[in-house]
Amino acid sequence: LDKRAREILFLRCKRTPMSTEAKDLPCPFVEPYRIKMVELLRCMTREEREEAIEKAGFNLFNLKAEDVFIDLLTDSGTGAMSDMQWAALMRGDESYAGSRSFLDMKETITELTGFEHVLPTHQGRAAENVLFSALVKEGEYVPGNTHFDTTKGHIEFRKAHVVDCTIDEAGDPTVYHPFKGNVDIAKLEQVIAERGVENIPFVIMTVTCNSGGGQPVSMQNLRDVSRVCKAHGIRLFYDSARFAENAYFIKTREQSFADKTIREIVREMFSLADGMTMSSKKDAIVNIGGFIALNDAELFQRCSTFSIMFEGYITYGGMSGRDMGALAAGLREATTFDYLHGRISQVQYLGQRLKEEGLPIVEPVGGHAVYVDVKRFLPHIPQTDYPAQILGIELYKEAGVRGVEIGTVLADRDPETRLERPPKLELLRLAIPRRVYTNNHMDYVVWGLKRIWQRRESLKGLEITYEAPIMRHFTARFRPKA
């Protein structure tokens, strides 16, 4: 099956007439599942959507879910669980301590990653909170590959600093590089030399790199980063929300791994690190849950104290037994090639359709989302007027589709100067929930963006009327500029 799948790796997006010769017929892509239950959708009128987004302060997070037709805000906790996951829900052991569901989850995590110590948390940012409480101190520096919002927020909340060491190619959405999530080793070495080993508690690699366009990290780069960290005695952790999707790209883009299974690749990835945080709402395909996994027994004990304070006892960590059971089943499913190929092929389909219509996106397309390049879509609007937020609002008004801004709003203000810090990339992310929508839904999204493209020059900027001091994008309110 893997050999056949590699031959049809990416979905053919244009249909061609079928040959009369059976031997000439290419095998079409087929999703590796069938649908048991559906949820009816309601599409409001444009007038209703305009009223809804104005009431929401022009913030897509503030919309009611029932007022959204196609929801691409996030792939976190929004996937469709399998029959095996639903069965695990029914078998959940809700014992306060040492439940069977926890032991099943721990065994699955250890089998996949090799990490012996596991602390469950209610989601990924909670895992960051526990781990960073044990490790991050004021004034320290945490290098990595374009830290995502909660990672950066937890570090800066502790008055420490993030340092982006991503390769330069990641900053150009038009350049093709198979692993735009890679860290530039020279940049990493420079940070260590300038800041000092004693001021760097760890290096964090986000796999795949969300803020950089859902871009993967190569195995060779993980090896190189691990080598540098070991040489300097610095811990290496992964933000692992989409580790399985990263393994898929290693298999399909890194030639030496073409014949390895996803689980073999995953095991090697984690063998290079000291630990991981995980938002299980992504690659474990569950609605809630996360965990920390590591091998250092002393660090595990330190984290356990914070886990009990913030999350609950160390064998449930804010999760129910049934959710831990579903998480374990989801991890087993997500680390198979068939599942990953089906999931990522739909993302590739949306990206290819947008390209066919001449709409600017980040290339190559990543694993969980398509990112519209707003600097090319709305070049007349400066980043300080929040163009990616504008495009997200317009897509909702036009088609009832909800995406999310990954740009100047999400980048937050500098915590010391309070000035805006526009990022290199100004993006509208269209994150595709797992096993939820069909390609017809993707075509509808393309239609909505195409209509906006035709009137793009008429769009104007926004200004903020309210913002929180940190991670403002979740609750900020806006108004159109005069």
Side-chain angles (χ1 to χ4, degrees), residues 288-299:
I288 199 70
F291 59 86
I292 299 166
L294 34 77
N295 279 329
D296 186 328
E298 189 273 335
L299 179 57

Side-chain angles (χ1 to χ4, degrees), residues 5-295:
R6 285 197 299 274
E7 293 172 351
I8 55 165
L9 184 56
F10 297 117
L11 176 64
R12 297 178 184 271
C13 299
K14 288 185 176 179
R15 295 182 180 180
T16 55
M18 286 193 174
S19 167
T20 56
E21 296 292 330
K23 65 181 180 180
D24 296 331
L25 293 179
C27 180
F29 168 76
V30 180
E31 290 84 356
Y33 57 85
R34 56 186 178 187
I35 298 167
K36 276 190 175 182
M37 186 178 75
V38 298
E39 177 183 356
L40 298 182
L41 297 175
R42 169 178 172 261
C43 188
M44 301 197 306
T45 65
R46 183 185 177 93
E47 291 74 21
E48 289 173 323
R49 293 195 293 269
E50 288 177 345
E51 181 181 355
I53 194 64
E54 185 172 358
K55 286 183 178 178
F58 297 97
N59 187 335
L60 295 156
F61 281 99
N62 292 338
L63 288 169
K64 296 178 183 177
E66 63 186 17
D67 292 344
V68 176
F69 184 48
I70 297 177
D71 203 344
L72 307 183
L73 181 74
T74 181
D75 62 322
S76 179
T78 56
M81 292 198 301
S82 70
D83 53 352
M84 297 302 290
Q85 288 180 288
W86 281 103
L89 281 176
M90 297 303 295
R91 297 187 67 250
D93 177 357
E94 304 303 336
S95 301
Y96 185 90
S99 74
R100 180 186 65 250
S101 297
F102 166 75
L103 295 174
D104 180 33
M105 183 186 76
K106 179 182 181 298
E107 181 180 348
T108 301
I109 293 167
T110 299
E111 179 183 344
L112 290 173
T113 68
F115 294 128
E116 292 294 332
H117 302 293
V118 175
L119 278 174
T121 61
H122 77 274
Q123 61 184 64
R125 70 193 61 182
E128 291 174 340
N129 188 36
V130 170
L131 181 65
F132 295 0
S133 292
L135 291 178
V136 179
K137 299 180 180 65
E138 182 176 346
E140 292 184 326
Y141 295 84
V142 181
N145 58 338
T146 314
H147 311 64
F148 198 56
D149 57 355
T150 61
T151 312
K152 181 171 66 176
H154 277 299
I155 293 168
E156 293 183 343
F157 178 75
R158 291 165 171 82
K159 298 184 178 180
H161 310 275
V162 299
V163 186
D164 188 352
C165 298
T166 315
I167 58 173
D168 291 339
E169 291 89 336
D172 187 343
T174 65
V175 168
Y176 180 87
H177 188 291
F179 294 101
K180 278 187 173 179
N182 281 0
V183 153
D184 185 317
I185 298 301
K187 291 181 183 179
L188 179 60
E189 292 274 24
Q190 182 178 355
V191 172
I192 295 171
E194 291 178 352
R195 301 302 179 185
V197 170
E198 68 279 7
N199 295 313
I200 299 175
F202 56 86
V203 172
I204 189 159
M205 296 289 288
T206 307
V207 291
T208 56
C209 186
N210 192 351
S211 290
Q215 299 296 313
V217 181
S218 72
M219 185 72 81
Q220 185 57 54
N221 192 244
L222 293 175
R223 289 170 176 167
D224 292 341
V225 173
S226 178
R227 171 181 50 78
V228 171
C229 288
K230 283 182 169 62
H232 292 283
I234 299 171
R235 290 185 174 100
L236 173 61
F237 289 97
Y238 296 162
D239 175 349
S240 309
R242 300 174 181 89
F243 75 93
E245 292 174 4
N246 198 92
Y248 174 90
F249 285 117
I250 289 174
K251 179 176 176 64
T252 57
R253 294 181 183 175
E254 208 163 349
Q255 187 174 0
S256 60
F257 289 91
D259 295 323
K260 297 284 188 180
T261 68
I262 294 297
R263 292 183 184 179
E264 287 172 337
I265 295 168
V266 165
R267 191 62 180 260
E268 182 167 343
M269 285 171 58
F270 287 114
S271 73
L272 300 168
D274 295 289
M276 63 184 289
T277 61
M278 175 75 179
S279 172
S280 302
K281 297 164 69 176
K282 284 83 167 177
D283 268 357
I285 331 173
V286 287
N287 305 126
I288 199 70
F291 59 86
I292 299 166
L294 34 77
N295 279 329

Side-chain angles (χ1 to χ4, degrees), residues 31 140 157 177 191 193 200 339 354 378 390 455 463 473:
E31 290 84 356
E140 292 184 326
F157 178 75
H177 188 291
V191 172
I200 299 175
Y339 159 76
L354 289 170
L378 301 174
I390 295 164
R455 57 179 176 83
E463 58 187 6
H473 55 292

Side-chain angles (χ1 to χ4, degrees), residues 60-61 68-76 78 343 346-347 350 354 368-372 395-396 400-406 428-434 436-438 441-446 449:
L60 295 156
F61 281 99
V68 176
F69 184 48
I70 297 177
D71 203 344
L72 307 183
L73 181 74
T74 181
D75 62 322
S76 179
T78 56
R343 189 276 189 285
Q346 184 174 58
V347 180
L350 175 59
L354 289 170
H368 71 284
V370 176
Y371 294 69
V372 180
L395 181 57
Y396 174 72
V401 176
R402 177 163 63 172
V404 69
E405 190 258 19
I406 306 288
L428 177 68
R429 186 186 74 177
L430 305 172
I432 302 177
R434 294 158 180 82
V436 171
Y437 294 114
T438 70
H441 292 99
M442 301 301 105
D443 289 333
Y444 178 81
V445 173
V446 175
L449 280 168

